[in-house]
């Protein structure tokens, strides 16, 4: 779960991309592009990449203040005690379960559409393979195959979109055009998406585990590179795939991606989409399963049922958590299918139940004056949201904003009425280890993370989409071509970061030394076992 706390920049970046490539992103970006046009893609992409870069500043603080922690919830228990710890356990489980479920609902619908397999069978069969993969180990940073379906050429795609009647084609867009950045619904969705993803990342114990597992020097650049590399995946998927035209039922089910790939690229396209969806399911679901199992083993079992668990006992409960979570989520997804709940509803309402813990969690890491009462009460108050129409844009936007920001003044007010003065050294009691980082290094890395977070926010939200929203124009052919070309170049950079940078960063020479040592040991079977073991260990150590 923490990989000896020595994971490098490349593998951290690859793991961020892998665990953030939700099937709901691959399916949802084309789906919402179909409804609202290309402006939606910027808001989808920056609604995920900006959060990762912002989280880097929080991750480095947790890494430096609690260098031997395993989960976020351990820190909450040390700071606020059992009552807050249980509340965070519940909220973290809700976060992971809803993320897993939204992924499974979209993926099972798409796989059923491509293969004809019963959708309810898909909701159980997809997690089954992932459980086996996760239970017995598995590649933690799963590699993915990305295929962009071509429609003749970029200019042919542009001609197809422009052939549509301009006025009234897309409600809320300038001139009704798919190619206008002035899109009210896209802006509203962007607010929902940005707010919701702050909650999703900050309350996802899986992202915290990546921070704990990374080397101190690798945490910040790993998150920043991974976050900015991820941006292009929903961006280019939505641009190329999301302009197909299908029935409202197919679109509402999130089926734009599979139904575009099949006629354009035939059986090979359908097979590629199946592979993409399965690998996205594997990477994200394995991360979610590990996150849930860590909560069940470390925080629930190790926190309240067995205060001094052995490694074997923690592993057993981790395995029970993996299997139990998959069974529960499959059943929950089946209930949603039977109730007529689709990807659309989940995309819009998920932030309402996840966001209340965002500010209390940030303050727990950054502000020593937040009291236990403030952390608990503000969290609970933020959950007290009641709306009559979920799945609709404006009601969900107001609800997300309420659940996100109401805890902020409540936490600040209660903390100033009766402030705490938490000693950060208390976090070192979690199996305290030596910390060789001096004060200047701590400040520099924290400052770098904060600067990148602010720069990413302004670059991807303030300086790019908002001015284009205000221009009230339709993209020219040249701008659209540049839009796609830049996206494809960016996609190949992401390919390098996800697949090859971990090898370069991990030093190919060291990998070769390990391989050589293993090969040598297999050839020396005639030698004494003890001598061979010493040689292998010495070679690996070097």
């Amino acid at each position: 779960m923490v990989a000896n706390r020595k994971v490098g920049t490349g593998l951290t970046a690859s793991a961020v991309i892998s665990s953030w490539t939700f099937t709901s992103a691959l399916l949802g970006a084309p789906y919402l592009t179909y409804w609202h046009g290309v402006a939606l893609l910027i808001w989808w992409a920056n609604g995920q990449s900006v959060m990762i870069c912002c989280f880097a500043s929080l991750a480095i603080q947790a890494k430096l203040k609690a260098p031997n922690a395993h989960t976020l919830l351990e820190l909450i228990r040390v700071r606020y005690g059992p009552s807050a710890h249980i509340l965070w356990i519940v909220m973290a489980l809700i976060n992971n379960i809803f993320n897993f479920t939204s992924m499974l609902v979209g993926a099972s619908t798409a796989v059923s559409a491509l293969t004809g397999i019963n959708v309810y069978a898909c909701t159980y069969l997809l997690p089954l393979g992932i459980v086996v993969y996760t239970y017995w180990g598995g590649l933690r940073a799963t590699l993915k195959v990305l295929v962009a379906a071509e429609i003749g050429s970029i200019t042919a795609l542009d001609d197809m979109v422009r052939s549509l009647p301009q006025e009234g084609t897309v409600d809320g867009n300038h001139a009704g055009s798919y190619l206008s950045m002035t899109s009210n619904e896209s802006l509203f969705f962007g607010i929902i998406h940005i707010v919701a993803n702050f909650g999703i990342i900050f309350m996802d114990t899986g992202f915290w585990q990546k921070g704990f597992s990374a080397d101190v020097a690798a945490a910040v650049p790993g998150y920043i590179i991974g976050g900015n590399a991820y941006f292009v995946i929903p961006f280019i998927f939505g641009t190329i795939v999301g302009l197909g035209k299908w029935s409202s039922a197919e679109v509402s089910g999130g089926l734009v991606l599979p139904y575009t790939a099949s006629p354009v690229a035939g059986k090979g396209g359908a097979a590629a989409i199946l592979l993409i969806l399965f690998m996205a399911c594997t990477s994200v679901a394995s991360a979610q399963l590990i996150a849930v199992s860590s909560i069940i083993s470390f925080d629930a079992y190790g926190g309240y049922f067995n205060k001094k668990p052995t490694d074997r006992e923690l592993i057993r409960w981790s395995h029970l958590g993996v299997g139990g979570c998959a069974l529960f989520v499959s059943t929950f997804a089946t209930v949603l299918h039977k109730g007529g709940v689709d990807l659309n509803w989940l995309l819009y309402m998920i932030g309402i139940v996840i966001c209340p813990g965002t500010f209390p969690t940030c303050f727990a890491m950054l502000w020593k004056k937040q009291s236990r009462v403030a952390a608990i009460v503000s969290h609970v108050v933020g959950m007290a949201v009641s709306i009559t129409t979920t799945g609709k844009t404006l009601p969900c936007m107001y609800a997300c904003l309420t659940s996100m920001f109401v805890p902020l003044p409540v936490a600040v007010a209660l903390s100033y009425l009766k402030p705490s003065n938490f000693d950060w050294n208390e976090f070192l009691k979690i199996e305290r280890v030596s910390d060789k980082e001096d004060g200047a290094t701590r400040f520099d890395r924290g400052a770098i993370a904060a600067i990148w977070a602010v720069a990413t926010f302004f670059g991807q939200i303030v300086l790019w989409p908002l001015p284009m929203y205000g221009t009230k124009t339709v993209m020219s052919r040249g701008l659209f071509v540049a839009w796609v070309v830049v996206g494809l170049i960016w996609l190949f950079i992401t390919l390098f970061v996800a697949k090859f940078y971990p090898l370069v960063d991990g030093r190919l020479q060291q990998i070769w030394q390990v391989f050589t040592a293993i090969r040598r040991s297999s050839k020396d079977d005639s030698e004494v076992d003890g001598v061979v073991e010493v040689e292998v260990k010495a070679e690996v150590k070097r």
Side-chain angles (χ1 to χ4, degrees):
M1 291 183 183
V2 292
N4 201 31
R5 307 172 198 282
K6 293 295 183 183
V7 175
T9 300
L11 192 55
T12 300
S14 182
V16 166
I17 297 170
S18 176
S19 60
W20 206 213
T21 307
F22 280 50
T23 54
S24 55
L26 301 177
L27 295 168
Y31 152 68
L32 289 176
T33 301
Y34 167 91
W35 285 112
H36 308 307
V38 295
L40 187 284
L41 299 169
I42 300 296
W43 295 110
W44 186 294
N46 66 28
Q48 294 183 282
S49 64
V50 169
M51 279 76 256
I52 298 173
C53 295
C54 289
F55 182 77
S57 59
L58 208 58
I60 194 63
Q61 291 296 324
K63 178 74 176 176
L64 294 172
K65 291 173 181 174
N68 212 37
H70 303 87
T71 69
L72 160 69
L73 306 178
E74 285 181 308
L75 307 183
I76 297 298
R77 187 179 187 189
V78 169
R79 177 153 188 185
Y80 299 122
S83 56
H85 184 237
I86 293 172
L87 174 62
W88 255 263
I89 286 177
V90 172
M91 293 305 298
L93 287 174
I94 289 174
N95 182 30
N96 290 116
I97 287 170
F98 264 92
N99 285 331
F100 196 167
T101 303
S102 67
M103 177 207 70
L104 188 57
V105 167
S108 59
T109 305
V111 171
S112 176
L114 285 168
T115 63
I117 297 175
N118 183 278
V119 68
Y120 304 119
C122 288
T123 60
Y124 285 92
L125 291 175
L126 277 172
L128 178 61
I130 298 162
V131 167
V132 173
Y133 164 91
T134 306
Y135 190 100
W136 277 284
L139 300 172
R140 293 303 179 216
T142 307
L143 300 180
K144 297 171 292 297
V145 179
L146 298 176
V147 177
E150 298 180 358
I151 307 178
S153 66
I154 299 174
T155 55
L157 178 62
D158 181 72
D159 289 336
M160 183 191 74
V161 177
R162 293 183 193 279
S163 67
L164 298 171
Q166 294 300 297
E167 294 296 334
T169 300
V170 184
D171 291 338
N173 282 24
H174 174 69
S177 175
Y178 279 93
L179 300 180
S180 175
M181 286 295 292
T182 304
S183 171
N184 293 336
E185 287 290 325
S186 296
L187 178 62
F188 298 150
F189 173 81
I191 295 172
I192 295 172
H193 201 51
I194 290 169
V195 170
N197 281 322
F198 266 113
I200 288 174
I201 289 186
F202 284 31
M203 296 301 292
D204 187 344
T205 56
F207 271 94
W208 288 90
Q209 283 173 261
K210 290 177 181 62
F212 291 132
S213 66
D215 185 83
V216 175
V220 171
Y223 274 98
I224 291 170
I225 294 172
N228 283 288
Y230 169 82
F231 180 98
V232 74
I233 296 175
F235 176 87
I236 204 67
F237 258 75
T239 298
I240 295 179
V241 181
L243 298 176
K245 300 295 171 279
W246 303 99
S247 71
S248 59
E250 292 164 349
V251 173
S252 182
L255 302 180
V256 171
L257 176 61
Y259 280 154
T260 300
S262 296
V264 171
K267 291 182 179 180
I273 296 303
L274 275 175
L275 180 60
I276 291 170
L277 293 177
F278 178 76
M279 297 307 288
C281 278
T282 304
S283 62
V284 176
S286 62
Q288 297 295 319
L289 288 172
I290 289 295
V292 170
S293 68
S294 72
I295 296 171
I296 292 173
S297 58
F298 276 98
D299 296 293
Y301 176 73
Y304 298 100
F305 297 98
N306 184 354
K307 297 296 181 64
K308 295 182 178 181
T310 63
D311 290 342
R312 184 181 298 273
E313 289 170 335
L314 286 175
I315 292 172
R316 183 188 308 125
W317 279 93
S318 293
H319 288 168
L320 290 173
V322 167
C325 175
L327 181 61
F328 177 84
V329 169
S330 295
T331 305
F332 187 31
T334 300
V335 171
L336 295 180
H337 278 302
K338 292 289 288 185
V341 174
D342 56 28
L343 183 63
N344 178 44
W345 185 84
L346 288 168
L347 286 175
Y348 275 86
M349 62 74 56
I350 193 170
I352 301 171
V353 296
I354 291 172
C355 288
T358 304
F359 281 109
T361 300
C362 291
F363 288 155
M365 296 296 105
L366 302 175
W367 190 34
K368 61 175 61 179
K369 289 187 177 182
Q370 179 174 254
S371 64
R372 180 176 64 86
V373 172
I376 295 174
V377 172
S378 62
H379 203 143
V380 173
V381 169
M383 296 167 63
V385 175
S386 176
I387 60 173
T388 57
T389 309
T390 57
K392 300 292 184 180
T393 304
L394 288 178
C396 280
M397 183 181 76
Y398 297 139
C400 281
L401 289 171
T402 300
S403 65
M404 173 81 163
F405 288 102
V406 163
L408 175 59
V410 174
V412 172
L414 291 177
S415 295
Y416 273 110
L417 285 174
K418 191 175 181 181
S420 173
N421 189 23
F422 183 72
D423 182 4
W424 297 119
N425 288 326
E426 290 292 314
F427 282 154
L428 296 176
K429 292 181 180 179
I430 304 175
E431 300 180 13
R432 182 171 183 168
V433 296
S434 62
D435 186 1
K436 298 179 181 179
E437 304 295 326
D438 58 33
T441 303
R442 285 171 176 256
F443 175 79
D444 289 344
R445 290 199 176 120
I448 290 171
I451 291 170
W452 265 104
V454 173
T456 305
F457 178 84
F458 275 93
Q460 294 187 12
I461 294 178
V462 178
L463 300 180
W464 183 0
L466 287 180
M468 294 185 73
Y469 174 87
T471 59
K472 296 184 178 180
T473 59
V474 176
M475 284 187 186
S476 64
R477 178 187 289 270
L479 179 57
F480 181 74
V481 171
W483 178 283
V484 176
V485 170
V486 169
L488 291 173
I489 293 172
W490 198 338
L491 187 64
F492 275 96
I493 294 173
T494 299
L495 179 75
F496 171 80
V497 172
K499 297 179 183 297
F500 303 112
Y501 186 25
L503 296 176
V504 176
D505 186 52
R507 295 184 177 84
L508 290 170
Q509 183 180 2
Q510 293 182 2
I511 297 173
W512 178 252
Q513 287 176 347
V514 173
F515 174 76
T516 302
I518 295 173
R519 186 177 61 178
R520 182 179 299 169
S521 69
S522 65
K523 289 182 178 180
D524 295 340
D525 291 336
S526 60
E527 298 183 18
V528 180
D529 290 342
V531 175
V532 175
E533 183 178 358
V534 169
E535 290 179 353
V536 173
K537 287 184 176 179
E539 189 71 21
V540 172
K541 185 175 181 181
R542 286 196 295 272

